Amino acid sequence: MSSGFSRVIQGCMNWGKWGNSLSTIEMEKLIHFNLESGISSFDHADIYGDYTTESDFGKAFKNSTVKREDIQLISKCGIQYVGKSRPNNTVKHYQYDSNYIIYSAEKSIKDLNAEYLDLFLLHRPSPLMHPDEIREGIEKLLNDGKIKSFGVSNFSNGQTDLISTSSKVSANQIQFSLSHNTPLFDSTLDYMMINNITPMSWSPLGSFFKNQNDNKKVHDLLSDLSKKYNASKDQLLLAWVLKHPSCIHPVIGTTKTERINAASTSTQIKLSEIDWFRMLETYLGHKLP
Ligand SMILES: NC(=O)c1ccc[n+]([C@@H]2O[C@H](COP(=O)([O-])OP(=O)(O)OC[C@H]3O[C@@H](n4cnc5c(N)ncnc54)[C@H](OP(=O)(O)O)[C@@H]3O)[C@@H](O)[C@H]2O)c1
């Protein structure tokens, strides 16, 4: 079943102040480049760039003249971030009362120049969240046509169950990669398959480019596989994520056009089962039981 999102999703966390501080024209070009590369879904959160990146993107989107229906916009709410934009936040916390949920969605929509969000996520689970309170906000947003679907991010199965008692959860955006592989073993991905929840994975490349000297064995294996598959290391890491039967959508962070293009074409790599397991075993450093 199609999720309605491009298989590879472009993450926008680093587009603004928290990363590359792209200009409006650079963002506009990048929106077009993604679309030309087959990536039509863009991942945001209210907090990116200390609450500034959505409006930076929104300006570029408006200028781009790309039609709203030709892209999918994801945003997230609920983290109260400590920064200049919110001087009253003296401690980082989460807020999920219905009024704040509605306020956040409406602000993201306005900032993004978007009319509606295709998917609206609760960014992180809060120990104080109540499913009925969340339903009140989400139901209103859905009924008003402000959001097309609702989901969660970084939620465990139990936390998703809790929210599902009141609202239909259609996606969970989790950290997942070869180096962050716990969702394979703690039933997070199985749960999503069983419950028809779309998995999205942030940091899909894992830790491998953060320190090239780490994981030398994985880098050596990736170098060998690069020749076999005529693919770059980042493509192989994405192919590894993409092979999981739950149909994970990697949310990529690069803003470099050649890497965006490589990420998009990684969907065509047919990684064999043996090589998938070889990559896992090499990372784990031991045989599977
Ligand atoms: N839901 C959540 O809680 C949550 C949390 C974190 C992030 N996210 C989302 O996930 C998105 C992606 O996260 P991420 O940026 O951690 O993902 P990522 O795609 O795994 O990592 C991107 C980083 O890898 C580098 N990279 C990519 N290919 C490389 C290569 N071949 N060689 C060396 N470095 C390479 C990139 O550098 P260059 O930029 O130089 O290419 C970039 O710094 C974010 O933008 C955000 O939308 C969500």
Side-chain angles (χ1 to χ4, degrees):
M1 204 171 75
S2 163
S3 67
F5 298 94
S6 54
R7 191 64 200 282
V8 173
I9 294 171
Q10 169 74 77
C12 298
M13 187 172 73
N14 292 326
W15 283 37
K17 226 166 75 176
W18 275 3
N20 298 305
S21 296
L22 301 178
S23 66
T24 308
I25 188 95
E26 284 170 331
M27 287 197 190
E28 196 186 320
K29 280 187 187 157
L30 214 48
I31 293 170
H32 281 291
F33 186 84
N34 270 280
L35 284 170
E36 282 151 23
S37 306
I39 299 178
S40 57
S41 303
F42 297 83
D43 181 71
H44 287 272
D46 55 350
I47 57 168
Y48 291 167
D50 188 18
Y51 301 94
T52 63
T53 301
E54 289 194 321
S55 63
D56 290 343
F57 180 98
K59 282 179 206 128
F61 174 50
K62 194 174 178 189
N63 290 355
S64 75
T65 69
V66 167
K67 289 197 194 114
R68 177 64 190 89
E69 62 270 27
D70 290 344
I71 64 169
Q72 300 78 46
L73 291 171
I74 301 164
S75 191
K76 319 183 192 81
C77 74
I79 298 180
Q80 283 282 16
Y81 179 77
V82 180
K84 276 192 195 146
S85 297
R86 302 230 168 144
N88 292 336
N89 285 351
T90 49
V91 62
K92 189 176 186 187
H93 62 285
Y94 308 129
Q95 185 175 349
Y96 290 122
D97 58 84
S98 56
N99 285 339
Y100 185 66
I101 289 173
I102 293 167
Y103 161 81
S104 296
E106 288 178 344
K107 182 177 186 308
S108 291
I109 291 166
K110 186 167 167 282
D111 285 353
L112 290 163
N113 267 313
E115 292 161 50
Y116 63 90
L117 298 173
D118 295 273
L119 175 64
F120 189 48
L121 305 174
L122 308 183
H123 205 151
R124 284 194 175 272
S126 168
L128 300 182
M129 65 192 177
H130 194 292
D132 294 343
E133 184 70 32
I134 287 166
R135 187 203 54 231
E136 220 180 289
I138 295 303
E139 225 170 56
K140 176 148 180 42
L141 290 167
L142 285 167
N143 289 339
D144 291 351
K146 300 223 167 120
I147 63 170
K148 300 282 180 207
S149 61
F150 163 67
V152 295
S153 179
N154 304 301
F155 274 47
S156 69
N157 296 348
Q159 289 156 344
T160 310
D161 273 340
L162 175 68
I163 301 307
S164 302
T165 56
S166 286
S167 311
K168 164 74 189 135
V169 173
S170 64
N172 189 3
Q173 189 178 117
I174 55 166
Q175 184 176 13
F176 178 66
S177 62
L178 180 59
S179 63
H180 193 96
N181 53 56
T182 8
L184 290 177
F185 303 110
D186 68 1
S187 80
T188 301
L189 290 168
D190 308 326
Y191 173 92
M192 285 198 249
M193 280 178 86
I194 294 165
N195 292 290
N196 200 16
I197 294 174
T198 301
M200 297 177 175
S201 69
W202 57 270
S203 291
L205 300 176
S207 58
F208 300 101
F209 297 117
K210 297 206 168 94
N211 181 355
Q212 301 262 359
N213 297 322
D214 269 2
N215 301 297
K216 187 175 174 328
K217 283 188 180 158
V218 173
H219 274 285
D220 289 347
L221 173 64
L222 290 175
S223 298
D224 285 348
L225 293 177
S226 283
K227 290 171 210 134
K228 176 170 172 187
Y229 289 95
N230 189 24
S232 56
K233 289 179 177 180
D234 43 340
Q235 284 182 309
L236 290 165
L237 289 164
L238 291 173
W240 188 88
V241 169
L242 290 161
K243 192 169 175 68
H244 193 272
S246 62
C247 204
I248 300 165
H249 293 253
V251 185
I252 58 163
T254 187
T255 53
K256 298 205 166 68
T257 49
E258 69 279 11
R259 288 181 183 164
I260 292 169
N261 203 35
S264 184
T265 51
S266 66
T267 53
Q268 287 154 31
I269 297 168
K270 302 265 178 284
L271 194 63
S272 76
E273 208 157 87
I274 292 271
D275 288 330
W276 190 91
F277 279 104
R278 187 173 316 207
M279 285 169 70
L280 181 61
E281 183 188 279
T282 305
Y283 177 74
L284 293 173
H286 58 77
K287 289 193 174 80
L288 288 174

